[in-house]
Amino acid sequence: MRKIHNKPVSSIPQSKEELELAINSIFDKLMADYRTIPVELTRERNVEGNIKGTQVSVCDTVAYLIGWGKLVLKWHRLKAQGLPVEFPESGFKWNQLGLLAEHFHEQYADWKYEALLKELESTVNELLSLISSLSNYDLYETTWYDKWTLGRMIQFNTSSPMKNMRSKVRRFKKNKGLL
């Protein structure tokens, strides 16, 4: 267990401070991994996909993270305006997350690798700004969607998938002799 200011911290963020730390720490490691992959390898479909038995590209993993980050920002913007939100996204149900992942891949299929990395960085910065603008109460002390707090919804769709993608990207790098 990590400690923040001498308090034990679980692996699941329980506060605004822990959420910011969770995102920042995994994001920095993930970006370091992404930046060491030669661009000519980034469209090879040799990374474990989100649908069992599928292979995606490194670019697809970046698109996936951008897609979820932008969804979180969209959810918050709509709810803040008092507008209805279709979770997880219009046209998709929670049991169709593999199809939603493919949608994200298609959405960014024509983007260059460097542009994808910049977009991911921009999206994560927007998410961190959002978190910074909210109180711990807003993030962790009130239900936001179904039984979940906003902080938990952000974590489900940022630091958790970043950790998952980092392990897949590192496996890809190991198989390519890049580690």
Side-chain angles (χ1 to χ4, degrees), residues 22-36:
I23 292 170
N24 279 315
S25 63
I26 190 60
F27 181 68
D28 289 345
K29 293 172 188 169
L30 180 63
M31 286 303 284
D33 280 322
Y34 278 141
R35 296 231 178 262
T36 59

Side-chain angles (χ1 to χ4, degrees), residues 63-64 66-79 83-108 144-145 153 157:
Y64 178 84
I66 294 167
W68 277 108
K70 292 207 174 289
L71 266 186
V72 169
L73 293 166
K74 175 183 172 181
W75 296 338
H76 182 265
R77 184 181 66 253
L78 290 172
K79 281 192 81 133
L83 298 171
V85 180
E86 285 185 62
F87 289 98
E89 173 59 308
S90 303
F92 296 92
K93 300 202 179 324
W94 285 114
N95 64 354
Q96 296 176 308
L97 297 183
L99 294 175
L100 184 54
E102 288 178 349
H103 171 73
F104 295 146
H105 302 164
E106 290 165 13
Q107 197 174 355
Y108 294 96
W144 190 80
Y145 166 72
M153 289 295 287
N157 298 293

Side-chain angles (χ1 to χ4, degrees), residues 72-149:
V72 169
L73 293 166
K74 175 183 172 181
W75 296 338
H76 182 265
R77 184 181 66 253
L78 290 172
K79 281 192 81 133
Q81 295 170 354
L83 298 171
V85 180
E86 285 185 62
F87 289 98
E89 173 59 308
S90 303
F92 296 92
K93 300 202 179 324
W94 285 114
N95 64 354
Q96 296 176 308
L97 297 183
L99 294 175
L100 184 54
E102 288 178 349
H103 171 73
F104 295 146
H105 302 164
E106 290 165 13
Q107 197 174 355
Y108 294 96
D110 297 331
W111 285 48
K112 295 199 179 311
Y113 187 54
E114 189 57 37
L116 284 168
L117 294 180
K118 284 181 181 162
E119 186 70 11
L120 177 58
E121 193 164 19
S122 172
T123 302
V124 170
N125 285 334
E126 278 186 72
L127 288 159
L128 289 168
S129 291
L130 171 62
I131 293 164
S132 177
S133 76
L134 298 169
S135 68
N136 195 69
Y137 178 84
D138 293 332
L139 288 164
Y140 283 98
E141 297 172 30
T142 185
T143 303
W144 190 80
Y145 166 72
D146 198 17
K147 64 180 181 179
W148 306 107
T149 64

